[in-house]
Each structure stands twice: as C-alpha cells, then as structure tokens.
Amino acid sequence: MEDRFEISLLLDFYGNLLTPKQKTIMELYYNEDLSLGEIAEINDTSRQAIHDLTKRCYKLLLNYEEKLSLLSKYNIREEKYKIALEDIKDRFKLSDEAINYINKLFEDINNS
Amino acid sequence: MEDRFEISLLLDFYGNLLTPKQKTIMELYYNEDLSLGEIAEINDTSRQAIHDLTKRCYKLLLNYEEKLSLLSKYNIREEKYKIALEDIKDRFKLSDEAINYINKLFEDINNS
C-alpha cells in the first residue's frame, strides 16, 4: 500500500532526478491531488499512461531512497535533534526561552 | 582543474548512484590514491579505459550535485551551525563547556 505522504517527501528529495515531465505529473498527483483522469486530460494522453508513469516513477524514487537514504537520514536527524535538546536542557539548566530558541535554529538548519 | 578533495566528497554523497565497479574504481583513484596504471592492472584493462571511466563518472557526480545539491547543502548547514553557536553563546551567556557540548551534538547530527 502506497503512503502518499511518504511519496510526497520522496518527491521533495529526489524529484530533480526525474525528468521535468515526470516530476510535474508526480507533483500534480501526489501534492496537488489531481486525479489520474484530470492529469491525463492536461497532458493529452490516456489515464492508463499517467497511471503507468506514476507507478514507474514511484519505483524510481524508492530506488533512489534505497541508494542514498536521504529521507531516512532526515528522519534520523530530526530524532537526534529532539534527544539532543532534552539533553542540553537537563545538562545546562536552560530556560524554556533558550530551548525554544535553540529548537528553532535546529529546525532551520535541518531544513537547509 | 579538478579538485580531488571535492570529488572525494561528491563520491561520499553520490557514490551509491554509480555502478559498484565505477564506485570502486573512483574510490581507488580519488580516495586510495592509486595511479591509473595500477587500477588498470587490477582490472585487467588499459590505462586509457580507466582514465575515460574516471572522467565519465566525474561528470555524473557533478550532474547529481547540480540536481540535488547535497554537498552545497551540507556546507550551508555547517556554516549555519557556526553562526548559530555564536548566536546562542552571546544570547544566553553559555559557558565554554556548554558551547563545546552543543557543538559536538551539532556536528554529530550534521554527519548523520
């Protein structure tokens, strides 16, 4: 069973490795939530052709993730951030204000 | 002019997108510092074939970096870390011990 949210994240990480046309169609389907029929109409092709393209691209994205693990590394960093924040807070008795401030910096950096 | 250190970093990021044979040869040349002749001998092929392969793979690596920018994003995160640390230090009057501790956490996370 496909996880649309996961595919949307994989598109963020690896979309540029698809062709521009593939990327656009995947974004319309997984981010903009257009139906296969609607996308087929826009591209002047059949619903089946769009369906096949999304399946093929999904496999490409999974293949890139298998090789580069960008999504799983991102998730690991997020998890480590949370643990690190708790650790810093306890260890140096930081105020909530300081923790919130550091948290925002962490988030900003991880999303760079 | 090629920057061997840069290519070595690109190999860290994108090596898994090369074929196993390409990756091995690139690592022997750029990380292990073997000569083209030595690598040719190991692979029972000509020096020219290895030379061509390294040129081709270098272009592939540059192409991946152009599309995914993993190396440049890594460098941006490193830069932001440094600025953030100075900022946290000034803003919350943290001790050197605390700053060193947070710095280690940052580094650990960025290399995840």
Side-chain angles (χ1 to χ4, degrees):
Chain A
M1 173 71 188
E2 291 176 5
D3 175 340
R4 292 182 73 92
F5 180 64
E6 185 201 5
I7 296 174
S8 185
L9 287 174
L10 289 173
L11 261 180
D12 284 346
F13 284 109
Y14 304 110
N16 285 348
L17 294 179
L18 302 177
T19 68
K21 184 184 169 189
Q22 288 174 331
K23 187 184 173 192
T24 302
I25 289 172
M26 289 296 275
E27 284 178 342
L28 289 175
Y29 190 58
Y30 288 105
N31 293 344
E32 310 290 328
D33 224 20
L34 264 67
S35 71
L36 293 174
E38 287 168 325
I39 300 172
E41 211 175 304
I42 293 170
N43 285 274
D44 199 18
T45 185
S46 67
R47 189 184 171 289
Q48 185 63 40
I50 299 297
H51 177 263
D52 293 349
L53 182 147
T54 61
K55 293 292 158 204
R56 204 163 55 243
C57 289
Y58 174 50
K59 280 189 193 157
L60 284 174
L61 295 176
L62 287 183
N63 188 41
Y64 286 128
E65 174 64 10
E66 200 175 299
K67 289 182 172 164
L68 297 189
S69 310
L70 298 184
L71 174 56
S72 88
K73 284 180 183 174
Y74 177 86
N75 287 333
I76 287 170
R77 280 204 303 273
E78 285 282 304
E79 200 50 46
K80 283 193 173 183
Y81 276 131
K82 281 185 206 154
I83 294 168
L85 266 186
E86 284 303 310
D87 188 21
I88 295 168
K89 186 177 178 179
D90 291 349
R91 195 173 288 257
F92 302 107
K93 311 290 174 215
L94 297 187
S95 65
D96 284 349
E97 190 205 349
I99 286 296
N100 287 336
Y101 187 82
I102 295 170
N103 187 33
K104 274 192 193 138
L105 286 175
F106 269 127
E107 288 295 325
D108 177 44
I109 291 168
N110 200 23
N111 288 308
S112 297
Chain B
M1 173 72 188
E2 291 177 7
D3 175 341
R4 292 182 73 93
F5 180 64
E6 186 201 4
I7 297 176
S8 185
L9 287 174
L10 289 173
L11 261 180
D12 283 347
F13 284 110
Y14 304 111
N16 285 347
L17 294 179
L18 302 177
T19 68
K21 184 183 169 191
Q22 289 174 331
K23 187 183 174 192
T24 302
I25 289 172
M26 289 295 276
E27 285 178 342
L28 289 175
Y29 190 59
Y30 287 105
N31 294 343
E32 309 290 329
D33 225 20
L34 264 67
S35 71
L36 293 173
E38 287 168 326
I39 300 171
E41 210 175 306
I42 292 170
N43 285 272
D44 199 16
T45 184
S46 67
R47 190 185 170 285
Q48 185 63 40
I50 298 297
H51 178 264
D52 293 348
L53 182 146
T54 61
K55 293 293 159 202
R56 204 163 55 244
C57 289
Y58 174 52
K59 282 189 190 154
L60 284 173
L61 295 177
L62 287 182
N63 188 43
Y64 286 128
E65 174 63 8
E66 199 175 299
K67 289 182 172 165
L68 298 189
S69 309
L70 298 184
L71 174 56
S72 88
K73 285 180 182 175
Y74 177 85
N75 286 334
I76 288 171
R77 280 204 303 274
E78 285 281 306
E79 201 49 46
K80 283 193 173 185
Y81 277 131
K82 280 185 206 153
I83 295 168
L85 265 186
E86 283 304 309
D87 188 20
I88 294 168
K89 186 177 178 180
D90 291 347
R91 195 174 287 260
F92 302 107
K93 311 289 173 216
L94 297 186
S95 65
D96 284 348
E97 189 205 352
I99 286 295
N100 286 337
Y101 187 81
I102 294 171
N103 187 32
K104 275 195 191 135
L105 286 174
F106 269 126
E107 287 296 325
D108 178 43
I109 290 168
N110 201 23
N111 289 310
S112 297

